[in-house]
């Protein structure tokens, strides 16, 4: 199933990306190739091969979480554009109520 420019326009709208008609025409076949490539991965996957998220084993390279002295809260909040009840005040997003 080939992606059409209308399909790409729908995806762009959902992602809140503005695309010109020329960009829609250019991206439709490119995205179609990507989707076909991803579909081929499912064809290769076999039951005797365990799923992995990385080709190489991962190791934690972070330091141990140790409590250390930090700046006083008043000093940190002094640099904030807005503070309330000893916390940073930030604008609401996505119409959420407090």
């Amino acid at each position: 199933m080939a992606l059409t420019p209308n399909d790409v326009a729908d995806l762009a709208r959902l992602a809140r990306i503005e695309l010109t008609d020329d960009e829609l025409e250019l991206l439709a076949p490119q995205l179609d190739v990507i989707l076909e490539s991803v579909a081929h991965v499912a064809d290769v996957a076999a039951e005797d091969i365990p799923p992995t998220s990385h080709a190489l084993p991962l190791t934690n390279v972070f330091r141990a979480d140790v409590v250390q002295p930090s700046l006083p809260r008043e000093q940190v909040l002094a640099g904030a554009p807005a503070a309330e009840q000893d916390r940073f005040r930030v604008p609401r997003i996505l119409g959420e109520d407090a």
Side-chain angles (χ1 to χ4, degrees), residues 50-68:
T52 58
S53 61
H54 298 279
L56 301 173
L58 297 179
T59 57
N60 187 352
V61 295
F62 299 110
R63 65 170 172 75
D65 190 11
V66 178
V67 176
Q68 297 179 349

Side-chain angles (χ1 to χ4, degrees), residues 27-79:
L27 289 173
Q30 292 178 358
L31 290 173
D32 199 41
V33 168
I34 292 170
L35 291 176
E36 286 177 15
S37 299
V38 171
H40 287 302
V41 171
D43 296 339
V44 174
E47 291 181 21
D48 60 332
I49 301 173
T52 58
S53 61
H54 298 279
L56 301 173
L58 297 179
T59 57
N60 187 352
V61 295
F62 299 110
R63 65 170 172 75
D65 190 11
V66 178
V67 176
Q68 297 179 349
S70 61
L71 294 173
R73 182 177 297 160
E74 297 78 23
Q75 188 176 351
V76 172
L77 292 175

Side-chain angles (χ1 to χ4, degrees), residues 10-21:
D10 289 340
L11 292 171
R13 181 185 51 78
L14 291 171
R16 297 181 184 189
I17 299 172
E18 291 184 30
L19 296 174
T20 65
D21 290 340

Side-chain angles (χ1 to χ4, degrees), residues 77 79-98:
L77 292 175
E84 182 178 289
Q85 298 177 352
D86 289 332
R87 296 180 285 191
F88 294 105
R89 181 179 170 89
V90 296
R92 286 188 189 138
I93 59 169
L94 303 176
E96 296 174 349
D97 291 328

